[in-house]
Amino acid sequence: MTYSIIARCPRTGQLGIGIASYSIAIGMYCDGAVRANTGVTLTQGHPNPRNNYLAINLLAQGRTAGQALAELIGNDADSEYRQIAIVDRENNAVAHTGASLRKWAGHRIGKGFVTFGDVLAGQQVVDALAAGFEAAPEAGLDERLLAALEAGRNAGGMAGGKGRLPERSAAMIVWGNRTYNEVDLRVDLHERAVDELRRIYIDYKPSIAYYEERARSPRNAVPAMEFADMLKNQQQQKTT
Amino acid sequence: MTYSIIARCQRTGRFGVGSTTFSMACGRRHESVRPNVGISKSQAFYLRYVDPLALNLLAQGYTPQHIMRTLAADDPDFDYRQFGIIDRENNVVAHTGPGCGQWAGHTTGPHYAAYGNGLAGPQTVAGIISGFLKQPDAPLEERLMMALEGGRDAGGQVSKGVKRPERSAWIRVVSQLDFPEIDIRVDLHDKTVAELRRIFEEFKRYRDYYGARCDHPRNAVPEEDFVAGLDARAA
């Protein structure tokens, strides 16, 4: 009851995750899943919280995504209940969908990305995630991840025995080459988590450069409240 | 404008941070907490690379006191920074530079620090601490939640005489494993501390179920059935 995309931007080398789930606070399960200049991974379905760390440590040792995936499967007596994807910095993308996951479960491997999920409406959801991601290849990785999630949702998202399951939480994460993330946004509990993620992203995006600049030049910084008011005025001008 | 508490649980040794602010998505900064090492949480005019650096220094064996001097020596704008650092031996330091604006300040305790800037006054920090100390035997995450509520109820954030809303909030607690025991967030909301409390209460209902689903997937019931059971019990 989760669908995701993990991806490497071929232009910038940025690594990222887009994820939406019926489970709450799904962003918590992305912990440790990305490391700059190393790779991106995610274990879902029945998550194994140690997997993200192990996979990234293996990639950091120089293992390929394929080798790391084999190690994760070998290390886990319940691997048939896990869904695992890994993309390394060489653009190798691999995935494993355990045979015991709830249907429909599966993955689709693209160039430098994987789309995958369980308890989905069907194959069309992972296909739509991929199509959403590839629709605007020149866009920023954050935009592409969000577009993928929206496409997955529009293609039917998750479906249990009694029909459609709402997206109750979502997250979008992008790392560049630093020791911390560039974008890390979450919705932990909401009736329309993917819409809410989009709303937060629209408000958040223009402030990224502001907060970086204000830390570098605090003496000249525009106060946060004034900046927020400025943004609000700009948005109002756009809509009128 | 932000207020935070960092703490080490005296019973379990767990580390936790609670933070709320006018800025969006304050919980994106999970680089500030490291299991078995400590917490370094900077704010005001913060540089993101400082917390990972401070934690690397802690992991190498330096004390928080020494790290604070190291950071000060390397930063011409140290007067604009605010941060707190705590290690696994309960050493705590906090710094509030005079450039952090009015009102800004911190209070350190034997195993915690509360600090903020753009606040109503020292009463906000006092409110954080009284919330944190209210139930000393409660789990750390409960105490962090009460600390944020205490800060909010004591006046929270004020800028140029005007009350400023908390728009994002975050609680994270780590034990000995890499993976956090709890990490919940509100990234943009007009009553964010209340929304964090709502999510926290929901999360507690799911916590054991999610843990068992990871550890014993063979026995896991479908989540929508679990949720139906929760709703039935609540009715």
Side-chain angles (χ1 to χ4, degrees):
Chain A
M1 40 188 60
T2 301
Y3 55 85
S4 303
I5 176 165
I6 66 168
R8 179 178 176 279
C9 174
R11 284 182 291 105
T12 63
Q14 287 171 307
L15 300 160
I17 297 173
I19 185 168
S21 182
Y22 176 71
S23 299
I24 70 174
I26 195 67
M28 182 170 152
Y29 291 90
C30 300
D31 210 83
V34 196
R35 191 183 296 173
N37 199 30
T38 305
V40 55
T41 183
L42 207 53
T43 295
Q44 61 193 37
H46 304 80
N48 178 346
R50 78 172 67 207
N51 271 9
N52 292 346
Y53 286 88
L54 178 56
I56 294 295
N57 287 337
L58 290 167
L59 294 181
Q61 286 170 9
R63 306 269 200 143
T64 63
Q67 289 170 336
L69 181 62
E71 291 295 312
L72 261 56
I73 292 169
N75 189 52
D76 187 348
D78 291 317
S79 64
E80 69 191 82
Y81 291 86
R82 318 288 186 198
Q83 192 168 42
I84 306 168
I86 307 176
V87 176
D88 68 20
R89 59 187 163 188
E90 305 284 351
N91 246 21
N92 297 309
V94 296
H96 156 82
T97 298
S100 297
L101 285 159
R102 286 180 65 199
K103 302 285 181 286
W104 188 91
H107 57 260
R108 179 183 169 129
I109 293 173
K111 279 187 183 165
F113 72 89
V114 179
T115 63
F116 57 123
D118 70 321
V119 199
L120 302 184
Q123 167 91 41
Q124 67 273 22
V125 179
V126 291
D127 291 344
L129 284 161
F133 183 70
E134 292 187 305
E138 72 290 347
L141 185 59
D142 46 3
E143 291 280 2
R144 299 181 69 192
L145 295 169
L146 204 43
L149 291 182
E150 289 167 339
R153 176 202 56 198
N154 294 343
M158 295 165 287
K162 292 176 188 132
R164 176 111 198 201
L165 294 168
E167 289 81 5
R168 298 198 297 169
S169 72
M172 193 254 287
I173 299 166
V174 173
W175 282 60
N177 58 8
R178 293 170 172 162
T179 54
Y180 50 86
N181 54 59
E182 289 188 355
V183 180
D184 184 311
L185 297 177
R186 274 172 57 176
V187 177
D188 280 1
L189 180 55
H190 196 275
E191 291 169 356
R192 288 185 304 280
V194 175
D195 285 342
E196 179 69 358
L197 190 66
R198 168 66 77 179
R199 180 183 78 92
I200 293 170
Y201 172 75
I202 288 169
D203 272 12
Y204 179 73
K205 179 86 174 171
S207 72
I208 298 174
Y210 164 76
Y211 281 104
E212 286 197 13
E213 182 54 28
R214 123 193 227 270
R216 290 212 188 87
S217 311
R219 285 158 214 275
N220 310 317
V222 178
M225 291 302 309
E226 283 178 34
F227 177 75
D229 290 343
M230 216 165 68
L231 276 186
K232 203 185 282 175
N233 290 339
Q234 282 171 3
Q235 280 166 359
Q236 276 165 358
Q237 278 166 10
K238 266 185 211 160
T239 51
T240 52
Chain B
M1 46 189 64
T2 301
Y3 52 94
S4 300
I5 179 157
I6 62 173
R8 179 173 177 275
C9 174
Q10 293 307 284
R11 285 181 291 104
T12 64
R14 297 191 302 157
F15 289 111
V17 60
S19 190
T20 183
T21 183
F22 176 76
S23 306
M24 284 170 267
C26 65
R28 74 192 185 285
R29 298 184 55 203
H30 32 86
E31 69 272 11
S32 306
V33 189
R34 200 177 294 175
N36 300 313
V37 175
I39 303 174
S40 170
K41 168 69 173 69
S42 55
Q43 56 196 35
F45 300 86
Y46 61 89
L47 293 158
R48 284 284 293 276
Y49 65 78
V50 163
D51 292 337
L53 168 61
L55 290 171
N56 288 341
L57 294 170
L58 270 189
Q60 285 169 11
Y62 287 108
T63 61
Q65 289 79 2
H66 185 86
I67 292 166
M68 184 160 74
R69 291 192 294 272
T70 302
L71 296 177
D74 191 41
D75 187 352
D77 292 317
F78 194 65
D79 281 354
Y80 292 84
R81 319 294 184 200
Q82 181 176 53
F83 61 82
I85 303 176
I86 183 166
D87 71 7
R88 55 189 165 181
E89 294 177 273
N90 291 323
N91 295 306
V92 185
V93 296
H95 162 76
T96 302
C100 291
Q102 290 302 319
W103 183 90
H106 61 260
T107 301
T108 59
H111 51 90
Y112 59 85
Y115 48 108
N117 60 90
L119 304 185
Q123 65 270 27
T124 301
V125 171
I128 296 169
I129 290 175
S130 72
F132 183 69
L133 296 178
K134 203 186 280 177
Q135 291 181 32
D137 296 328
L140 184 58
E141 49 270 39
E142 298 277 357
R143 302 182 69 191
L144 297 171
M145 187 73 238
M146 288 188 285
L148 294 182
E149 290 168 338
R152 175 201 59 192
D153 295 344
Q157 306 175 126
V158 169
S159 159
K160 294 182 179 154
V162 181
K163 176 91 176 83
R164 300 302 187 184
E166 296 86 1
R167 297 197 302 170
S168 72
W170 174 44
I171 285 176
R172 181 180 179 93
V173 174
V174 298
S175 184
Q176 292 173 354
L177 302 177
D178 296 320
F179 187 75
E181 298 208 333
I182 183 167
D183 184 302
I184 53 168
R185 288 168 51 175
V186 178
D187 281 5
L188 179 59
H189 197 275
D190 52 10
K191 291 192 188 60
T192 198
V193 176
E195 177 69 359
L196 190 69
R197 167 62 82 176
R198 180 180 81 90
I199 292 170
F200 182 46
E201 293 302 322
E202 280 299 304
F203 183 83
K204 284 190 281 185
R205 301 166 82 206
Y206 286 81
R207 190 176 197 166
D208 291 346
Y209 169 75
Y210 286 159
R213 185 169 68 175
C214 293
D215 296 342
H216 308 291
R218 283 159 211 277
N219 308 326
V221 298
E223 184 167 354
E224 64 268 33
D225 296 348
F226 169 78
V227 171
L230 277 184
D231 293 344
R233 280 200 293 284

